[in-house]
Amino acid sequence: MTDLYALDIDTAASSKACGGSTHPDGEACVTLAKIGPDAWAMGDGKRPDAEPLRFTTAELDAAGIDPARFDLSA
């Protein structure tokens, strides 16, 4: 298995999806970038400087996260 945190994400293009949150800090958004054939990096739109979490495609599927919502393909 690939070490997801060893993959380079500096050149990965990310896409943003936002929900309809009415939180006082504004709408909740996350970013998603494909960083490998079976690897994804997900970031917090409110904390762009935080290190993104990394997931396999199977993990995204298990969480109900569809890359197509981000205009990305698996």
Side-chain angles (χ1 to χ4, degrees):
M1 178 177 217
T2 302
D3 178 3
L4 298 177
Y5 285 87
L7 297 173
D8 180 29
I9 64 170
D10 292 334
T11 59
S14 65
S15 185
K16 184 189 285 189
C18 299
S21 174
T22 58
H23 191 275
D25 293 337
E27 192 171 40
C29 299
V30 296
T31 60
L32 186 68
K34 190 166 188 171
I35 58 173
D38 186 38
W40 302 86
M42 180 174 283
D44 181 344
K46 291 186 190 305
R47 299 177 51 216
D49 295 332
E51 177 72 21
L53 299 176
R54 299 172 190 216
F55 301 95
T56 65
T57 302
E59 290 169 328
L60 287 182
D61 288 343
I65 299 168
D66 183 1
R69 177 150 188 244
F70 296 81
D71 293 324
L72 300 169
S73 61

